[in-house]
Amino acid sequence: MAYSPLVRELMEAFRCLPGVGPKSAQRMTFTLLQHDRAGARRLARALEDAAQSVGECADCRNLTEAERCPLCLNDRRDPAVLCIVENPSDVQALEDATDYQGRYFVLKGRLSPLDGIGPGELGLEALEARLQGGGVREVILAISPTVEGEATGQYIAQMARDAGVSVSRIAHGVPLGGDLDYVDAGTLSHAFAGRGQYQ
Amino acid sequence: MAYSPLVRELMEAFRCLPGVGPKSAQRMTFTLLQHDRAGARRLARALEDAAQSVGECADCRNLTEAERCPLCLNDRRDPAVLCIVENPSDVQALEDATDYQGRYFVLKGRLSPLDGIGPGELGLEALEARLQGGGVREVILAISPTVEGEATGQYIAQMARDAGVSVSRIAHGVPLGGDLDYVDAGTLSHAFAGRGQYQ
């Protein structure tokens, strides 16, 4: 083995990153050690700080080091509208693409009993208490339309109806710029059944 | 902005890695924080330790935290044969592919006067002293055949000849499994001119 122990350890440690194989890990190691030690130190500090301090928001379960995340602390956002998403990255995607001004709730997963992921793992008891509490007027489901996503959506929709809260979900259909020829049959059938008045 | 300060800082810190854009940085951040805090801490420690302690081998300039790298400390490797490579990763590539049993010298770059990279930056004074010292019998050039690589190779070859050391370089030609149709003209011309006896 041509590498010294610390160099080898760094190469192996990079493998915990998603999408990083042996070649990328080697490239990252050499690039940082040869050209960017300051970047390496900054990344080390950022990793250590985040791993140490980042927990989840008491309201929406999004990742944050404070008790509540910036969006839940923002008074100008309507707490009566709640958008349910699967992942923290979905929150940013919606913030970038829409002018939504309500709050979020991050499931961090989908119901999947076979993998041991039940309502408790997704924080659905807390969500139910919040819906029953009466502060929420509308729930918007922005969950991906997979089998498990649909099951999760139905479970939450039932909870919302039981609490007398109206439920909507984001539209599924042909993506903008999409060619009908290349859209799968399930999406096309959804888009056809969900057609709206031509404006 | 939907991210808390520590999460945002981690996302930005990941951008120092080669080939990592905003989307990959986001994915790495969420994957580590949601599923692999132990991996994040290990990576933080490995980065900190390596950035702190890894320097270069006093003999071959390869990356190592010790005074000399494992290959230069290996008594069974012939110190009279010296293979010159550009990068630390080339050492591992040659170790994996060949049964070479000599030593290496890592340039960490190529002569490029316009970028301010001269013989000093590549450690060529030390190399010259070593060649003049008389302990080296053969120099093998394993430098990539670019314009700057060729210039660097010629410079080192001249140094070796001045010291009475024989010089060879690795063969350039059609790669194994390569289709003649798809090989560029320069490579094909090299391969034709450098043809050897059919065995």
Side-chain angles (χ1 to χ4, degrees):
Chain A
M1 176 51 82
Y3 302 125
S4 70
L6 288 186
V7 174
R8 195 161 61 231
E9 164 63 14
L10 181 53
M11 260 176 224
E12 278 161 22
F14 270 126
R15 300 291 303 281
C16 73
L17 298 175
V20 175
K23 271 281 176 191
S24 311
Q26 184 180 306
R27 188 163 155 240
M28 289 171 171
T29 300
F30 288 132
T31 304
L32 287 193
L33 289 180
Q34 289 191 263
H35 307 297
D36 194 7
R37 302 236 171 177
R41 290 214 174 84
R42 178 185 174 189
L43 179 54
R45 252 193 321 274
L47 280 165
E48 186 58 51
D49 291 349
Q52 182 66 38
S53 311
V54 171
E56 61 183 35
C57 172
D59 281 350
C60 74
R61 290 171 43 95
N62 203 346
L63 293 165
T64 178
E65 66 271 21
E67 202 196 336
R68 287 186 167 73
C69 75
L71 295 181
C72 287
L73 286 175
N74 187 341
D75 287 340
R76 283 177 306 180
R77 300 189 76 107
D78 187 354
V81 187
L82 203 58
C83 179
I84 318 283
V85 297
E86 281 174 44
N87 296 307
S89 52
D90 301 334
V91 172
Q92 187 60 40
L94 284 164
E95 285 295 293
D96 288 345
T98 72
D99 58 352
Y100 177 62
Q101 286 297 324
R103 303 287 175 94
Y104 291 92
F105 188 85
V106 185
L107 299 172
K108 296 196 191 171
R110 297 180 278 228
L111 286 179
S112 176
L114 287 179
D115 301 320
I117 302 179
E121 280 68 31
L122 303 185
L124 295 186
E125 285 104 348
L127 179 61
E128 186 162 28
R130 197 151 147 203
L131 295 177
Q132 294 284 355
V136 179
R137 187 177 69 238
E138 182 184 357
V139 160
I140 302 171
L141 297 173
I143 304 176
S144 40
T146 56
V147 174
E148 288 153 349
E150 290 288 338
T152 313
Q154 293 211 356
Y155 189 99
I156 295 170
Q158 191 56 51
M159 267 173 29
R161 281 191 218 101
D162 291 348
V165 174
S166 88
V167 191
S168 62
R169 82 162 171 189
I170 58 169
H172 299 315
V174 179
L176 261 63
D179 192 329
L180 245 59
D181 257 9
Y182 290 94
V183 169
D184 67 291
T187 301
L188 200 52
S189 138
H190 249 94
F192 197 79
R195 65 190 177 277
Q197 192 68 40
Y198 191 84
Q199 286 161 344
Chain B
M1 176 52 80
Y3 302 124
S4 69
L6 286 186
V7 174
R8 194 161 61 230
E9 163 63 14
L10 180 54
M11 259 175 225
E12 279 162 22
F14 270 126
R15 300 292 302 279
C16 74
L17 298 175
V20 174
K23 271 280 175 191
S24 310
Q26 183 179 305
R27 187 163 157 239
M28 288 171 171
T29 300
F30 287 132
T31 305
L32 287 194
L33 289 181
Q34 288 190 263
H35 307 297
D36 193 7
R37 302 235 172 180
R41 289 212 176 82
R42 178 185 174 191
L43 180 55
R45 251 193 322 274
L47 280 164
E48 186 59 50
D49 291 350
Q52 182 66 40
S53 310
V54 172
E56 61 183 36
C57 173
D59 281 350
C60 74
R61 290 172 41 99
N62 203 345
L63 293 165
T64 178
E65 65 271 22
E67 202 196 335
R68 288 187 165 69
C69 75
L71 294 181
C72 287
L73 287 174
N74 187 340
D75 286 339
R76 284 178 305 180
R77 300 189 75 108
D78 187 354
V81 187
L82 203 58
C83 179
I84 317 284
V85 297
E86 280 175 44
N87 296 306
S89 51
D90 300 335
V91 173
Q92 187 61 40
L94 284 165
E95 285 295 293
D96 289 345
T98 70
D99 58 354
Y100 177 62
Q101 287 297 323
R103 303 287 174 92
Y104 292 92
F105 187 84
V106 184
L107 300 172
K108 299 199 188 167
R110 296 179 278 228
L111 286 179
S112 177
L114 288 179
D115 302 320
I117 303 178
E121 280 68 32
L122 304 184
L124 295 186
E125 285 105 348
L127 179 62
E128 185 163 27
R130 198 152 147 201
L131 295 177
Q132 295 283 355
V136 179
R137 187 177 67 238
E138 183 186 356
V139 160
I140 303 171
L141 297 172
I143 304 177
S144 40
T146 56
V147 174
E148 287 153 350
E150 290 288 338
T152 313
Q154 294 211 355
Y155 190 98
I156 296 170
Q158 191 56 50
M159 265 172 31
R161 281 191 219 103
D162 290 348
V165 175
S166 87
V167 191
S168 63
R169 81 163 174 191
I170 58 168
H172 299 315
V174 179
L176 261 65
D179 193 328
L180 245 58
D181 257 7
Y182 290 95
V183 170
D184 67 291
T187 301
L188 200 52
S189 138
H190 250 94
F192 198 79
R195 64 192 178 275
Q197 192 67 40
Y198 192 84
Q199 286 161 342

